[in-house]
Amino acid sequence: MSALCQASESVCVIAALETNIVKNVISFMEAVDSKMHEVVSTKGINELRNNPECIGTSIGMLRRAGYLLGFIVQYETCRKPFLKYMNNLINLTISHYKKY
């Protein structure tokens, strides 16, 4: 989906306005953030650094999820769904583990 949204504004508009993609991607990112916190709290930061797949996904997939939201939000017509999740996005932005 990330590649499709990167290539086409119309795909972004349809995805943002006619599906739950924004909600689902943000939920995915929140779940990963929660798992990162759990791993660091129970096993330490080195576990996360040495075994990033312990969070249930790959860093590449998490990166693509972020890019997907970025591709969608760049078009003004696609921004309305993001307003509902502004607090969620802010919380993800200030996550303690975003750099890992």
Side-chain angles (χ1 to χ4, degrees):
M1 195 62 187
S2 179
L4 290 172
C5 283
Q6 182 179 10
S8 172
E9 178 180 353
S10 60
V11 171
C12 289
V13 172
I14 291 168
L17 302 181
E18 297 184 24
T19 72
N20 290 324
I21 196 163
V22 172
K23 173 188 171 198
N24 293 339
V25 172
I26 291 171
S27 293
F28 166 73
M29 295 175 85
E30 288 174 326
V32 171
D33 185 60
S34 177
K35 186 64 177 179
M36 283 182 184
H37 179 70
E38 178 187 326
V39 168
V40 171
S41 296
T42 59
K43 298 180 181 180
I45 192 69
N46 286 333
E47 175 68 18
L48 183 59
R49 287 183 180 147
N50 296 333
N51 183 18
E53 286 76 26
C54 68
I55 58 175
T57 190
S58 68
I59 299 301
M61 187 64 75
L62 185 57
R63 185 178 298 119
R64 283 189 292 277
Y67 284 144
L68 174 57
L69 292 179
F71 296 141
I72 293 171
V73 79
Q74 72 181 333
Y75 302 108
E76 190 171 334
T77 57
C78 298
R79 293 182 187 155
K80 187 174 180 180
F82 285 86
L83 297 176
K84 192 186 298 186
Y85 302 102
M86 191 63 65
N87 287 333
N88 304 66
L89 291 166
I90 290 169
N91 288 336
L92 284 169
T93 302
I94 60 173
S95 170
H96 297 285
Y97 307 112
K98 68 181 179 191
K99 61 184 173 184
Y100 306 108

